[in-house]
Amino acid sequence: MVAQFAAELIFWVVWELVLSVLFYTTGAVLLAIFSFGKIQKPLYLPAIFSREKRIKSKDFNAVCALGIVFYVVLFAALIYFY
């Protein structure tokens, strides 16, 4: 029971502090690149990222999903070409 709680806590910390910032930043940069600067999402410092994420949850989810898709496609390409 304690090990399960510790594993969930570690996963949550890694998701909140590392992966969500990485996925959002990647998605925002990809949107800016592929729209030639017409769509610009703000890039947040990790210190204020969680507060801004809770304010704009629908916008955050779309940009974060784009970042996740990018890394899934990159991972699939690495597996395919390896």
Side-chain angles (χ1 to χ4, degrees), residues 5-72:
F5 176 74
E8 286 183 29
L9 183 64
I10 290 170
F11 176 76
W12 178 79
V13 168
V14 168
W15 177 261
E16 283 295 318
L17 297 179
V18 178
L19 293 178
S20 63
V21 175
L22 177 71
F23 291 151
Y24 177 84
T25 304
T26 303
V29 169
L30 287 173
L31 276 176
I33 290 172
F34 289 117
S35 70
F36 300 109
K38 292 181 181 178
I39 301 173
Q40 293 186 355
K41 302 295 180 190
L43 299 176
Y44 301 113
L45 295 173
I48 62 170
F49 180 77
S50 63
R51 180 179 53 130
E52 294 295 328
K53 179 176 76 170
R54 283 168 181 64
I55 293 172
K56 302 176 183 177
S57 64
K58 187 174 182 180
D59 189 38
F60 168 80
N61 290 337
V63 176
C64 189
L66 179 63
I68 291 171
V69 167
F70 171 76
Y71 284 110
V72 167

